[in-house]
Amino acid sequence: MTSLFDEPAEAGDDVVDPGAPLAVRMRPRSLDEVVGQSHLLGPRAPLRRLVEADEPMSLVLYGPPGTGKTTLAHVISLATKRQFVQLSALDAGVKEVRAVITSAKRELTYGGRRTVLFIDEVHRFSKTQQDSLLSAVEDRIVSLIAATTENPFFSVVSPLLSRSLVLALQPLSDDDVRTLLRRALTSDRGLDGAVTLSAEAEEHLVRVAGGDGRKALTALESGAGAARAAGASEIDLATLETAVAQAAVRYDRQGDMHYDVASALIKSIRGSDVDAALHYLARMVVAGEDPRFIARRLVISASEDIGMADPTALQTAVAAADAVAFIGMPEGHFPLAHAVVHLATAPKSNAVTVAISESVADVRAGLGGPVPPGLRDAHYGGAKKLGHGKTYVYPHDAPDGIVPQQYPPDALVGRDYYRPTGRGVEAGIGARLAKLRAIVRRAR
């Protein structure tokens, strides 16, 4: 019968099956080999201090897939010379947890060696299963390293959290992914120089990885297999595309294409072509565009191209930006798409854009002048002696909440900046605005 957990790893046992996946073969053997997570592994960072001091510890590693949670668990066990046992929350239950704890007690009592218990996807453990770990963690019979892609403050029981150090892992940067790829190409544990990787193919791998190191190495291994099968010594973009299921998106986040696609997205929204807008959104998302950049463009579009024709468009765009910041990618593309559909199908008006543009132009042209005396600040001593606020009429005292009164400087009396369209909500605003102006300007 196959055990639900790995056999305990011997200290220093770093022999890897040459037939194992590339991501497994390239797994770091020391903290210095780990790529990324400098906030945890820097010279004075908390995880490095704990490992180098070989202190008993329990950790909850929280982060997206492919950021090194399993890798760190293996490295910690090697660095601290402890027995390493791995459980998957998908397969193991309370019975398996107790079996590991019993074995760890025996190893500590008779062998004097502690055990690192690594539990992947700990958020899938029930409360009862998590509670079964508490005494062993508190008594330091095992050093628990629990990995989760979900917020542990919602998915891990409080008693276990209070006994553990929670460390958040970040997605790998593009440079981190490039480092992994180049190391795998040359390392004798990896591809050992059997193939090279074109610059274009490397950029594509970095994009499709999306900060996931395992995904990058898996795609590289597939591309290398395709190149060898074709008798080629280089993995070019065409070869790579035949090997991975994700076609290269012609998109340079630092070049002209970045701006061309962003421009096409906004112009498609402005033109009310929701399908084209979704296409350009998809191109940006698949290419790994910063979702914050996309969200910012949508917020601008909501005011610039829709404005008061649908005031709720701005609310949706801002909510999408907040949602992306809260949940991250890839799920963040849902609220982005939500906003794109709302904006593209909303009635359009640039009346707000024209109004502020003309107002700014007049200010820059010197059309201003003193604030009318009735509108000047009158709260400080001596203001009334200067006549400030003396002629001001309080609108709330009027039955309709509006009174004839001069608000703009003399040079701008009668100037109409905001000219609402007859589309959407602005149709009603236009009728009301005509009445408002008629009453307010009666004083002039």
Side-chain angles (χ1 to χ4, degrees):
M1 178 178 176
T2 303
S3 174
L4 291 175
F5 48 88
D6 296 343
E7 290 299 317
E10 294 297 323
D13 181 10
D14 54 9
V15 177
V16 179
D17 180 359
L22 180 61
V24 174
R25 303 201 307 272
M26 291 304 301
R27 180 169 286 156
R29 299 173 179 178
S30 69
L31 289 179
D32 291 333
E33 287 187 19
V34 177
V35 174
Q37 314 308 333
S38 59
H39 63 297
L40 301 180
L41 300 172
R44 300 182 60 81
L47 185 56
R48 181 174 289 276
R49 291 202 312 270
L50 285 170
V51 171
E52 291 178 347
D54 197 10
E55 297 177 4
M57 57 186 162
S58 288
L59 307 172
V60 176
L61 302 179
Y62 162 46
T67 52
K69 297 185 290 295
T70 303
T71 291
L72 282 176
H74 280 275
V75 167
I76 289 169
S77 70
L78 292 172
T80 58
K81 308 301 182 185
R82 299 179 187 181
Q83 175 178 247
F84 182 84
V85 181
Q86 180 172 347
L87 291 176
S88 172
L90 289 171
D91 305 314
V94 173
K95 178 182 177 182
E96 288 72 31
V97 169
R98 288 175 176 165
V100 171
I101 293 172
T102 299
S103 175
K105 285 181 180 177
R106 187 182 306 114
E107 183 68 21
L108 182 60
T109 301
Y110 299 106
R113 189 166 63 143
R114 297 187 183 277
T115 297
V116 172
L117 171 58
F118 175 62
I119 300 180
D120 197 15
E121 299 191 83
V122 70
H123 57 272
R124 296 182 182 272
F125 262 3
S126 68
K127 182 180 183 299
T128 300
Q129 291 169 311
Q130 293 184 34
D131 286 343
S132 67
L133 294 162
L134 292 176
S135 60
V137 169
E138 187 164 24
D139 296 340
R140 294 183 174 175
I141 294 167
V142 298
S143 292
L144 174 67
I145 302 180
T148 177
T149 56
E150 297 189 5
N151 189 327
F153 294 98
F154 295 106
S155 58
V156 178
V157 296
S158 296
L160 198 55
L161 283 179
S162 68
R163 292 164 173 79
S164 308
L165 179 64
V166 178
L167 301 177
L169 278 67
Q170 303 298 326
L172 301 185
S173 70
D174 288 355
D175 287 340
D176 290 337
V177 175
R178 288 190 189 94
T179 297
L180 287 178
L181 293 171
R182 293 171 185 177
R183 182 186 292 177
L185 284 166
T186 58
S187 172
D188 57 1
R189 287 154 47 199
L191 299 176
D192 200 16
V195 292
T196 59
L197 184 66
S198 74
E200 194 176 18
E202 180 182 83
E203 287 306 306
H204 180 50
L205 280 175
V206 170
R207 284 198 301 271
V208 301
D212 185 327
R214 187 189 307 110
K215 188 175 182 180
L217 292 174
T218 300
L220 174 64
E221 185 174 28
S222 181
R228 287 169 174 165
S233 60
E234 181 185 67
I235 308 171
D236 58 18
L237 183 59
T239 302
L240 190 62
E241 287 181 334
T242 65
V244 297
Q246 191 165 5
V249 178
R250 312 299 176 183
Y251 190 97
D252 177 3
R253 278 179 280 173
Q254 280 72 47
D256 291 342
M257 190 62 72
H258 163 85
Y259 297 104
D260 288 346
V261 176
S263 175
L265 169 64
I266 298 307
K267 288 174 180 173
S268 297
I269 290 173
R270 183 181 298 144
S272 299
D273 190 329
V274 65
D275 304 295
L278 285 168
H279 164 75
Y280 291 118
L281 172 65
R283 283 175 64 167
M284 297 173 85
V285 168
V286 172
E289 178 60 80
D290 184 346
R292 295 170 299 179
F293 169 78
I294 302 173
R296 286 194 296 268
R297 297 306 306 167
L298 296 178
V299 171
I300 294 168
S301 175
S303 283
E304 182 181 16
D305 295 316
I306 298 166
M308 293 300 293
D310 180 358
T312 66
L314 180 58
Q315 297 172 12
T316 297
V318 171
D322 288 344
V324 167
F326 179 63
I327 64 177
M329 297 296 276
E331 290 85 354
H333 70 268
F334 293 125
L336 289 175
H338 182 156
V340 164
V341 170
H342 186 153
L343 271 57
T345 57
K348 304 299 188 295
S349 170
N350 70 341
V352 169
T353 302
V354 171
I356 188 61
S357 298
E358 291 182 359
S359 183
V360 168
D362 279 353
V363 170
R364 288 175 175 167
L367 290 176
V371 174
L375 270 61
R376 296 177 192 173
D377 183 12
H379 82 279
Y380 61 91
K384 289 184 178 180
K385 293 181 181 180
L386 297 173
H388 292 188
K390 183 177 180 180
T391 60
Y392 178 66
V393 181
Y394 190 55
H396 290 294
D397 288 339
D400 295 326
I402 182 169
V403 297
Q405 188 159 235
Q406 180 179 333
Y407 291 97
D410 291 342
L412 296 175
V413 168
R415 183 69 62 103
D416 293 347
Y417 289 119
Y418 180 49
R419 297 182 291 277
T421 68
R423 296 184 288 274
V425 175
E426 274 195 332
I429 292 175
R432 174 168 170 74
L433 182 57
K435 296 177 181 178
L436 293 174
R437 282 174 175 159
I439 296 173
V440 170
R441 294 177 182 178
R442 198 179 300 157
R444 303 169 193 173

